[in-house]
Amino acid sequence: MHIEDYDIEKEKNKKLFKSSKSPRKQILLGHTSRNIDDYLKSISLRHNGKYTSIPHFLIAKNGDIINLVQPIFTTNLFGYESIDNDNISIFLENEG
């Protein structure tokens, strides 16, 4: 197993994500619906690189963990601030 920080433009530009001061109460699990490389490519290209609906972590089929956004930041994954502020999101690589 390998854990890495994925250095995407969104992570460098913290203006796209809000810092969350509320404690996280939930773990939101989802899946990529494609292989990990295609998923990473899609989130870096969507909305001209300003796509904020991404998970905090990805877990690849081989067990590697990729940290896309630090958990202190809120992403717009669910689309409701009250829910997004309370969770850490983890997506599993799944092509099916």
Side-chain angles (χ1 to χ4, degrees), residues 77-91:
L77 185 66
F78 202 82
Y80 294 97
E81 192 171 331
S82 61
I83 296 173
D84 289 330
N85 283 339
D86 288 343
N87 72 58
I88 293 177
S89 51
I90 302 170
F91 275 21

Side-chain angles (χ1 to χ4, degrees), residues 38-81:
D38 288 346
Y39 185 79
L40 290 171
K41 186 176 178 182
S42 73
I43 61 174
S44 66
L45 296 175
R46 254 183 223 167
H47 299 285
N48 294 323
K50 296 179 181 172
Y51 190 61
T52 60
S53 182
I54 63 174
H56 292 93
F57 296 94
L58 289 174
I59 300 177
K61 284 183 181 181
N62 66 3
D64 287 351
I65 300 170
I66 302 168
N67 184 350
L68 295 174
V69 179
Q70 295 297 321
I72 62 167
F73 294 105
T74 298
T75 67
N76 190 30
L77 185 66
F78 202 82
Y80 294 97
E81 192 171 331

